[in-house]
Amino acid sequence: MTFHQQPNLFQIEITMPNYIKLERDELIQSVKDLLGEKVKEENQIDGSLLLIGGDPSEVIVRVSGNKISISEFRVRWDGPHTPTIHPRLVTSINWKSLPTFEIICLIGMAIDSTRKHRLENFTTCMKCGKTKPPEWMHGDGICQSCAERHLGVVY
């Protein structure tokens, strides 16, 4: 840190070394912190790690090798009782190629914007007044639970 004095003016320069790199465990902990309190961890067959943030789920982060991918959580119904996760990829970043500060900032911005977009698609049920993700809605502003309870719908 250096200080420069000019007449009636102080200017501070903070130089962050660009060579500081994250280790995988530090990256994972930082991502968990960015995702918030409710994070599910899933180890995948290919050796990658999925971190799913939110309840109901909002953001999926996949850490694999030197790549980190941020996706919006989405569900497709393949049958009446068969929800399948179909994430929408938002971005992928080579996290080993950037300094710690830059990679954490990029991941944080991607998680925040992905979460915001996901939450914009939630709907408040006209019957129970609870806000639900799109995959839990029956349609016409009514959630699946209320559709079963009040409309006689069977899933």
Side-chain angles (χ1 to χ4, degrees):
M1 185 182 312
T2 58
F3 295 88
H4 302 286
Q5 187 174 8
Q6 296 176 0
N8 300 325
L9 178 67
F10 283 96
Q11 180 181 356
I12 300 173
E13 286 181 25
I14 299 174
T15 307
M16 296 186 66
N18 282 336
Y19 57 83
I20 297 174
K21 303 289 184 188
L22 275 177
E23 295 296 324
R24 187 175 194 271
D25 291 341
E26 294 172 313
L27 172 74
I28 291 168
Q29 187 56 54
S30 295
V31 169
K32 286 180 184 178
D33 292 343
L34 290 167
L35 287 171
E37 292 180 17
K38 303 202 178 188
V39 179
K40 293 175 265 186
E41 282 187 54
E42 295 180 11
N43 289 305
Q44 303 297 295
I45 294 171
D46 65 0
S48 64
L49 175 67
L50 280 187
L51 300 168
I52 304 170
D55 185 22
S57 300
E58 300 163 350
V59 179
I60 299 174
V61 178
R62 177 186 296 271
V63 180
S64 177
N66 63 347
K67 184 169 126 180
I68 185 165
S69 300
I70 293 96
S71 299
E72 180 180 346
F73 184 90
R74 289 198 177 170
V75 170
R76 183 177 74 201
W77 290 92
D78 292 335
H81 302 285
T82 315
T84 306
I85 297 172
H86 282 274
R88 181 186 66 86
L89 180 64
V90 174
T91 191
S92 290
I93 305 166
N94 180 342
W95 64 272
K96 288 185 178 180
S97 69
L98 296 170
T100 299
F101 179 76
E102 290 175 22
I103 194 65
I104 296 303
C105 286
L106 286 172
I107 293 168
M109 288 187 297
I111 287 172
D112 288 346
S113 65
T114 302
R115 176 181 289 125
K116 181 180 177 190
H117 187 266
R118 168 85 168 140
L119 293 174
E120 286 173 352
N121 291 308
F122 280 35
T123 305
T124 301
C125 176
M126 295 185 322
K127 292 280 188 187
C128 67
K130 294 180 183 174
T131 302
K132 308 269 181 131
E135 62 272 11
W136 293 359
M137 297 302 289
H138 170 72
D140 299 325
I142 298 173
C143 71
Q144 292 174 346
S145 297
C146 288
E148 285 182 326
R149 194 173 307 117
H150 302 292
L151 303 177
V153 174
V154 178
Y155 287 101

